[in-house]
Structure formats: C-alpha cells, structure tokens
Amino acid sequence: MKHNFSSITIPEILEVGIDTIKNAGKYLVKANIKKMVVFYGEGMKDMFGMDFINSVNQESTLDIIKEFVNEDININAIIANAFDIPKETQVIVGIGGGKVLDVAKYVAFLNNILFISIPTSTSHDGFASSGCSLYINNKRTSVSARMPYGIIVDIGIIKRSPERFVFSGIGDIISKITAVRDWKFEEENKKTKVNDFAVMIAKKSVNSIARMPFNDIKEDFFLKELVDSLTMSGIAMEMAGNSAPASGSEHLISHALDQILDKNELHGIQVGIATYIMSLVQQHRHVRVDTFLRDTGFWDYVKTLNLQKDCFIEAIDLAPSIKPTRYTYIHLDENRKKAKDYIHHDPVLNMILN
Ligand SMILES: [Zn+2]
C-alpha cells in the first residue's frame, strides 16, 4: 500500500503591515509578475488606488493593462466580465472589501490565472481563502475557487475602515472555537475524518488572538493579529480541502439568518452571536467566547442593532437544512431545543437580543 503526504497550495506573497500598499509593486516584482488587471470596489480607486498605482509605476517591469470597478457578485455578471480579460494577463489584483475580492478571485479562477488579494477591510476570512460567496440563481452560494497567490494587507487602511468591519472580523475568528468542536463531533460520530493539522492551525488562529492582551481593537498590534489569525483560518480550510475547520453550526445559523432577515448584518456579526449560542450548547469554552466578545466591545455594538430573538429561533430550526450532509451539534433535535432555551434564558443573550 502506498502512503502519500498531503500537500497544499499556500500564497507566495504574504505581506501584512503598515504601508504595504505603497510597496505592493516591489512585492509583485519579487514574485515575478509583470502584467496585471486590477479590480476595484466602489470608491476604492479614489481612496487607495493611487498608492497602489504609484507603487506599480515605480517598477519598470510592471504593467496594469486594464482596470475594472465591479462588485457585482452575481455569477452571470462575473462570467461576462471574465471574457474581458486580456490574454496576456498574468494576475488579477482585487482591491476593496469582500465583494470585489470574490469577483476578482472568481474571474481569475475562470481564466486560470493568479489572484492577488488586497483587502481594505477584514470582516471575514474570505480575503485569505479559496472560497467565494456568489449569487447563483438569486441565491447566495458558497463556491470554491483557488487560494490567492498573494495577500497584501495594509494595517493603516484596515484601521481606517468602519469599526463594524473589525467587529465582524472578531466574530468570524472566534467561531473557530465552535467550528472545530463541531468537526470533532462529526468524527466522534463516524460521519467524517478530521485533518489533525487543520484542527491545530484553526485552534491556534483563534487562541492567539483570544488570549492576547490589548487596549484597543484599532491598535496596530491587535489588527495585525486579527489579520494573521483570519489568514491562518483560510489556510486551515485549504489543508482540510473544505470549510469545516472554519465553519460549523454557528455558520449554518448565520446562513439561515441570511435567508430570514430582510436586511442581514455583516457575516462575522451574525457568526459571532451564533458562536456564543453554540458554545453554550456544546458546553465548550463559552466563558472565553463571552469574555472576548465583551472585552472587544462586540456585545456593545450588537446591542445597538435591535436584533430579534425570534429571528435567531427561526434560524436555529432552519440551520441543519442549509448543509444536510453535515452532522454538527445543531443537526440534533435536542441541541436545537437547548439553543432555543438559551436564547430565552441566558443573561448575555437577553442583554443583546430583543
Ligand atoms: Zn466565516
């Protein structure tokens, strides 16, 4: 019997720090890139595009051959756009929030060329993962593409993004606690086999930030740690070959909320609340989850949103049907009942939900 080692694709460029966008040209040259197409989110070229373009213009070998402003995550629009990419293009660069990064990532994937991710906010781990969230037949659908070839994060830019995006990143990273527990639970019930390395990386990604002392969520050190942790979460999914290490029952509740709410909240906001609910159900590190979400100001922010208990109760009932082939805690009737009891009786949930 032959035994094979696992191998994974990891980004060639990983630059996280202050003023990285002003040095982006140098990183691209180092990675042997020459001709690129750039996708901007709405308003992003005016805000951050010039720093990027100037850094490219300083390098004689680099060439921006076409630019687009497009954050339309409808698959039909993306396919149409994919035919507008010049043949000589080596990489697609995406600059902006989650939507334009998903568009650029998928256009690159369809053209079988490389993708460079330059997020201007880090509201979830999508900037560092192979997955995209697109509209297919009017339904928000998770599809897989390919890992970014480069990830360039300018902490100065992240600092300027609205605070709610940072809270969303906080909610998305804390979810690794319940996601990994769900994945292990599936293995204990002989429904899947976990990848131990992916488990370790996913756990480290959340523990390093959840145990770190900080004064302010907008301080450089905290933001750098958040970006690094979200990046590690993306790598954990790559190791697993699926989203399980980063996405469990808490993500299913959030996906259900997307279908229930007229206007959904940011991904990581919904996920963070659902993480706390599921950590109670799992009886797994719920004190840590609560402490982290309280100390970062996440709960105070959630209190301002006027979210309704009824919506969460509906989402809990709907959650298992989002991914019927999985077997997380929320797939068991008794656990859905527990989750709903907590929504009615837990003091923290009573404080943040109406
Ligand atoms: Zn997520």
Side-chain angles (χ1 to χ4, degrees):
M1 186 179 151
K2 199 168 181 294
H3 294 91
N4 291 321
F5 286 97
S6 302
S7 65
I8 59 157
T9 305
I10 54 168
E12 180 70 17
I13 305 170
L14 176 62
E15 298 285 351
V16 182
I18 299 288
D19 282 345
T20 51
I21 200 160
K22 292 182 180 153
N23 295 305
K26 286 193 190 74
Y27 310 142
L28 298 176
V29 169
K30 207 166 85 178
N32 209 14
I33 284 158
K34 293 186 171 70
K35 293 184 186 308
M36 71 192 94
V37 165
V38 184
F39 278 69
Y40 300 99
E42 300 282 348
M44 291 298 137
K45 188 174 178 184
D46 290 341
M47 282 176 84
F48 310 112
M50 286 326 291
D51 280 341
F52 176 75
I53 292 168
N54 288 337
S55 83
V56 166
N57 288 343
Q58 280 165 26
E59 308 296 330
S60 58
T61 54
L62 292 180
D63 193 8
I64 297 175
I65 47 181
K66 212 163 180 177
E67 295 173 295
F68 296 95
V69 175
N70 184 1
E71 359 181 274
D72 187 350
I73 53 169
N74 195 307
I75 186 75
N76 299 323
I78 291 174
I79 290 170
N81 203 162
F83 284 99
D84 292 333
I85 304 303
K87 274 197 183 56
E88 65 270 33
T89 310
Q90 290 176 305
V91 293
I92 307 259
V93 178
I95 302 178
K99 283 185 180 156
V100 68
L101 296 185
D102 279 352
V103 170
K105 191 189 291 177
Y106 213 67
V107 168
F109 177 67
L110 290 173
N111 280 281
N112 196 24
I113 51 180
L114 305 170
F115 165 61
I116 306 270
S117 176
I118 308 187
T120 55
S121 59
T122 46
S123 53
H124 55 79
D125 54 22
F127 69 90
S129 77
S130 61
C132 303
S133 174
L134 308 177
Y135 275 110
I136 300 173
N137 296 328
N138 294 322
K139 220 178 136 221
R140 197 90 187 237
T141 311
S142 299
V143 296
S144 49
R146 199 165 48 176
M147 251 341 231
Y149 184 69
I151 300 168
I152 300 172
V153 188
D154 192 322
I155 295 298
I157 292 175
I158 303 302
K159 195 180 278 196
R160 285 165 63 187
S161 69
E163 208 165 39
R164 66 180 188 279
F165 291 111
V166 181
F167 287 132
S168 179
I170 285 169
D172 203 29
I173 199 60
I174 199 69
S175 74
K176 306 320 140 202
I177 287 181
T178 46
V180 170
R181 184 71 206 99
D182 274 326
W183 201 24
K184 290 267 201 187
F185 176 76
E186 274 180 312
E187 185 178 67
E188 285 156 21
N189 285 282
K190 308 207 176 344
K191 306 285 182 185
T192 194
K193 194 183 158 316
V194 304
N195 175 300
D196 294 321
F197 228 89
V199 165
M200 179 185 75
I201 296 293
K203 279 187 180 173
K204 290 278 173 195
S205 75
V206 57
N207 287 340
S208 70
I209 189 157
R211 291 175 178 157
M212 189 184 77
F214 66 95
N215 297 311
D216 180 352
I217 58 166
K218 285 235 173 168
E219 68 192 6
D220 292 355
F221 190 60
F222 185 86
L223 290 175
K224 166 98 167 70
E225 195 69 21
L226 180 62
V227 169
D228 286 352
S229 288
L230 290 167
T231 304
M232 284 169 77
S233 164
I235 299 292
M237 287 190 270
E238 188 69 12
M239 286 175 168
N242 58 58
S243 63
S247 166
S249 50
E250 73 300 315
H251 272 69
L252 298 179
I253 294 173
S254 174
H255 293 318
L257 283 170
D258 289 341
Q259 295 184 15
I260 291 163
L261 297 174
D262 292 331
K263 193 189 156 297
N264 51 330
E265 300 298 333
L266 288 170
H267 171 79
I269 301 296
Q270 297 179 172
V271 165
I273 301 166
T275 297
Y276 177 64
I277 297 170
M278 290 315 298
S279 70
L280 289 167
V281 173
Q282 295 173 344
Q283 283 295 293
H284 176 62
R285 302 187 70 191
H286 53 91
V287 176
R288 169 65 71 185
V289 174
D290 176 36
T291 305
F292 183 64
L293 295 179
R294 187 166 3 93
D295 291 352
T296 50
F298 181 96
W299 286 149
D300 287 335
Y301 172 72
V302 170
K303 270 192 262 178
T304 67
L305 300 174
N306 192 27
L307 293 170
Q308 305 296 311
K309 287 181 180 175
D310 287 351
C311 297
F312 277 83
I313 286 169
E314 209 183 322
I316 283 162
D317 283 328
L318 186 62
S321 68
I322 305 279
K323 281 193 182 169
T325 55
R326 287 203 61 184
Y327 192 78
T328 70
Y329 273 76
I330 205 75
H331 286 78
L332 272 69
D333 196 30
E334 62 196 84
N335 289 332
R336 290 196 296 280
K337 192 176 167 300
K338 278 186 198 163
K340 288 183 271 187
D341 282 347
Y342 281 118
I343 288 178
H344 288 301
H345 303 300
D346 179 73
V348 174
L349 294 170
N350 269 303
M351 172 187 77
I352 59 163
L353 302 177
N354 291 327

